[in-house]
Amino acid sequence: MEITVAIVCSNDRRIAKCLTSIPKGVRIIVVLNNPTDEVIQIVVNDNRVETLRFDELNLGYLRQLAADNAKTSGIIYIDSDCEFGENTIEYVSSELEKYAAVSIPLRFKSNSFSTKIVARCRTFTTPDDALFMPAAFRVDIQKFIGGYLYDKRLSWGEDGDQKKRLENNNIDFCISEGVIWHRALNFYDDAQSAMRLGVGRLIREKNGLSRSRVLWKDVLPFRDIKLSIQCAKLVGLLPALYHLFVWRPSYKYGYWKEVFKNGH
């Protein structure tokens, strides 16, 4: 199946490596969001790239904009700080012939103690079957799952409801044989990411896509301990301790900070 690679980018110069990892002959759409001059220069120097621009920070809108402008039967979404593993695009292209969607395993690079712990913990927090970013879809599947791939109301947490919409319509997806590599994240980087995920959870709640969190349940540690035990069984003690004392608190902090800031 012919596919388009879709990338949203603002000021991330690592998009150069991302583009380099895409084989020749593959269509690319880069959706620019308040881009720096350096990013613009990187993108315009690659003659494979079609550029779109929308300067409001709304990932749901930005990702859907790529789907709305894709001229191929399939589309793969990848973040600008990631790179395709060897033959991944070929794998996904073949998999989309059989399935409406493909969840692409995300692996994190590591170059230090903290980045190794994060990489192992992410195996638990970003499971291969979650259909989070990165992911690929047949473009025509939109008509069966609400008319869109990404909900334009979801400025954050935009990749949290695709799996549910597919399952609600009895549409199968597969886990790709390929892999995408994410840049190394240290404890601080990953905690910031967890906070943004917490904000995304609240946005989904406001749009009726997730159940509301309960403050007293988040204050009590029982669910956190249960999840960290599961993490320990999967990837070991140190990542589980990181999950318990850093990742989960960061996620909840991002959520509740936004709640109290907006008076909800």
Side-chain angles (χ1 to χ4, degrees):
M1 177 178 292
E2 190 177 8
I3 56 175
T4 296
V5 174
I7 310 166
V8 173
C9 189
S10 176
N11 59 2
D12 188 1
R13 67 179 65 177
R14 287 179 295 261
I15 191 174
K17 288 186 176 181
C18 182
L19 292 172
T20 300
S21 73
I22 302 171
K24 294 180 180 179
V26 176
R27 292 175 179 266
I28 304 169
I29 291 177
V30 174
V31 184
L32 297 171
N33 178 244
N34 276 314
T36 61
D37 291 341
E38 183 178 11
V39 164
I40 292 174
Q41 194 62 39
I42 291 169
V43 170
V44 299
N45 283 340
D46 192 323
N47 58 17
R48 301 172 297 170
V49 174
E50 174 187 352
T51 59
L52 306 170
R53 181 162 180 166
F54 182 73
D55 285 341
E56 180 182 334
L57 183 55
N58 180 330
L59 283 173
Y61 189 100
L62 293 163
R63 297 203 196 282
Q64 185 59 35
L65 189 60
D68 292 342
N69 286 272
K71 300 179 178 66
T72 56
S73 299
I75 187 166
I76 302 178
Y77 288 91
I78 184 173
D79 285 331
S80 58
D81 57 357
C82 297
E83 300 169 40
F84 284 99
E86 186 175 1
N87 299 322
T88 293
I89 289 182
E90 289 83 353
Y91 284 130
V92 173
S93 178
S94 176
E95 290 155 354
L96 282 176
E97 296 285 355
K98 300 177 182 178
Y99 295 90
V102 178
S103 185
I104 309 172
L106 184 64
R107 298 292 179 262
F108 286 73
K109 298 179 180 180
S110 59
N111 52 27
S112 66
F113 173 78
S114 65
T115 59
K116 288 177 182 177
I117 296 299
V118 168
R120 288 166 61 189
C121 186
R122 278 291 189 140
T123 303
F124 178 72
T125 58
T126 314
D128 292 348
D129 65 349
L131 203 63
F132 296 154
M133 284 286 299
F137 304 90
R138 293 184 192 168
V139 175
D140 64 2
I141 198 63
Q142 296 179 89
K143 61 188 176 185
F144 301 109
I145 58 171
Y148 56 89
L149 293 179
Y150 289 91
D151 193 328
K152 295 180 180 180
R153 298 172 298 172
L154 303 182
S155 55
W156 288 108
E158 79 291 348
D159 59 349
D161 75 325
Q162 285 79 7
K163 182 177 179 179
K164 183 177 181 180
R165 285 190 283 132
L166 288 170
E167 291 175 342
N168 287 345
N169 289 280
N170 298 312
I171 299 172
D172 292 332
F173 70 93
C174 73
I175 300 172
S176 180
E177 291 185 48
V179 65
I180 285 178
W181 287 96
H182 194 289
R183 69 178 178 93
L185 296 180
N186 58 30
F187 293 153
Y188 177 80
D189 294 332
D190 196 41
Q192 292 292 311
S193 176
M195 289 170 59
R196 290 191 291 271
L197 289 173
V199 174
R201 168 62 184 264
L202 178 61
I203 293 171
R204 290 198 302 275
E205 283 182 16
K206 290 179 178 179
N207 288 283
L209 301 175
S210 294
R211 292 195 302 264
S212 296
R213 299 186 73 86
V214 179
L215 181 57
W216 70 264
K217 289 184 178 180
D218 269 350
V219 171
L220 296 176
F222 302 121
R223 175 165 171 75
D224 295 345
I225 292 171
K226 179 180 178 180
L227 289 172
S228 295
I229 290 172
Q230 294 173 2
C231 183
K233 290 178 179 179
L234 180 66
V235 293
L237 179 59
L238 289 179
L241 291 173
Y242 165 77
H243 183 265
L244 178 62
F245 292 111
V246 179
W247 199 93
R248 285 288 296 175
S250 297
Y251 176 86
K252 291 188 289 187
Y253 175 77
Y255 174 91
W256 288 108
K257 178 183 178 182
E258 197 70 14
V259 169
F260 293 131
K261 184 176 75 172
N262 291 288
H264 295 289

